[in-house]
Amino acid sequence: MTRLWEVQAGNVPDVELPGGDGLLLAGPVLDVDCNRAVQVRVRPVEDGPLLPAAVAATAQDGVATVTAHPRTCPPGNTRLAFLLGRYIHGDRVAAGVDMPVVTVGCALRPEEFGGVGIMPVSHRVRLLDGGGRWVEHTMWEVMSLPRYAALARENRL
């Protein structure tokens, strides 16, 4: 079952994106001067397929979400995927499952999966644009097969 998320365009952050293929690595939410903030690092991916690099980046300390940005993906889609990853992560943490989340804002070619071992899960996002219209997007959560199996067993997808 694909989950439907509803987002207002004003909530999509204007995060910096890599110039080519790359990743947005975001830490947990921090309280800074009575505001909530997230530290985001941009990391180019120049060698090898993008999605295995994104899944591998979840093993780094302090990473809560990873957003893959293929150079062919529209910037708005990547920023929406970033926000979706933050929402998914927050929901799972509230349910007692604190694992990093990987998202991508556009469908990828099979060669970008880097072979076997990676499972894409679709999420529908309805974006309320500035003109009061709802526009639907398909975003992808990407995970290793063992992580997918664990989340599916617990009904946490």
Side-chain angles (χ1 to χ4, degrees), residues 4-6 8 14 21 26-27 41-42 52-53 56-57 77 79 84 86 89 91 99 106 115 137 145 149:
L4 176 65
W5 302 80
E6 292 187 346
Q8 292 187 9
D14 189 22
D21 289 347
R41 293 175 289 150
V42 176
N77 284 29
R79 290 181 175 111
L84 175 64
R86 302 305 300 176
H89 184 261
D91 276 5
M99 315 176 147
C106 51
H137 298 269
L145 289 177

Side-chain angles (χ1 to χ4, degrees), residues 41-148:
R41 293 175 289 150
V42 176
R43 191 178 98 199
V45 175
E46 297 168 0
D47 299 340
L50 185 60
L51 294 183
V55 171
T58 63
Q60 295 179 21
D61 287 338
V63 172
T65 62
V66 177
T67 306
H69 174 66
R71 66 180 159 271
T72 57
C73 192
N77 284 29
T78 296
R79 290 181 175 111
L80 186 57
F82 174 84
L83 182 63
L84 175 64
R86 302 305 300 176
Y87 286 169
I88 293 169
H89 184 261
D91 276 5
R92 291 204 181 128
V93 166
V97 180
D98 190 359
M99 315 176 147
V101 172
V102 177
T103 54
V104 64
C106 51
L108 298 177
R109 298 178 312 272
E111 60 269 19
E112 293 172 292
F113 283 81
V116 297
I118 295 178
M119 174 64 80
V121 176
S122 65
H123 293 265
R124 298 293 298 162
V125 179
R126 286 182 52 191
L127 180 66
L128 182 61
D129 70 13
R133 292 178 311 149
W134 288 101
V135 180
E136 289 204 15
H137 298 269
T138 299
M139 302 279 124
W140 299 91
E141 180 181 4
V142 181
M143 61 193 81
S144 67
L145 289 177
R147 180 166 289 179
Y148 175 81

Side-chain angles (χ1 to χ4, degrees), residues 10-62:
N11 291 337
V12 178
D14 189 22
V15 292
E16 177 186 349
L17 300 177
D21 289 347
L23 306 174
L24 302 176
L25 308 173
V29 175
L30 304 171
D31 289 320
V32 178
D33 297 328
C34 300
N35 292 308
R36 296 171 61 90
V38 174
Q39 181 181 18
V40 180
R41 293 175 289 150
V42 176
R43 191 178 98 199
V45 175
E46 297 168 0
D47 299 340
L50 185 60
L51 294 183
V55 171
T58 63
Q60 295 179 21
D61 287 338

